[in-house]
């Protein structure tokens, strides 16, 4: 995966994002993923945008962080 990779949600994708003390709780069926609040803007964009290019994620994160975040969510 690179900053130029285009990602698309599956048609039945579902998630829930909740803020907790110091972290974000990103819930997908069968899993809770605890993520640092520093990428909240990026994570909200991912959850709300059906298709995007990794390098187009908003926020101040580096491309390495963007790629790592999307890779973790895809895993």
């Amino acid at each position: 995966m690179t900053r130029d990779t285009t990602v698309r949600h599956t048609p039945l994708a579902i998630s829930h994002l909740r803020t907790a003390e110091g972290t974000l709780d990103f819930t997908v069926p069968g899993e809770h993923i605890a993520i640092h609040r520093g990428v909240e803007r990026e994570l909200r964009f991912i959850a709300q945008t059906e298709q995007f290019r990794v390098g187009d994620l908003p926020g101040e994160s580096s491309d390495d962080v963007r790629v790592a975040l999307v890779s973790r969510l895809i895993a």
Side-chain angles (χ1 to χ4, degrees):
M1 174 160 324
T2 69
R3 70 180 318 276
D4 295 318
T5 301
T6 299
V7 178
R8 181 178 173 87
H9 291 204
T10 63
L12 300 175
I14 186 170
S15 65
H16 179 72
L17 179 61
R18 179 176 78 85
T19 57
E21 290 185 30
T23 63
L24 300 169
D25 178 19
F26 191 72
T27 306
V28 293
E31 186 173 15
H32 286 268
I33 305 169
I35 301 175
H36 189 277
R37 287 190 75 170
V39 294
E40 183 171 1
R41 187 171 174 202
E42 292 88 332
L43 196 56
R44 288 191 184 282
F45 179 86
I46 290 169
Q48 297 170 354
T49 308
E50 184 178 329
Q51 182 174 324
F52 59 90
R53 193 174 69 87
V54 174
D56 291 339
L57 290 175
E60 301 299 320
S61 297
S62 68
D63 285 336
D64 289 340
V65 172
R66 289 181 175 115
V67 167
L69 177 62
V70 174
S71 294
R72 172 60 182 99
L73 296 176
I74 289 174

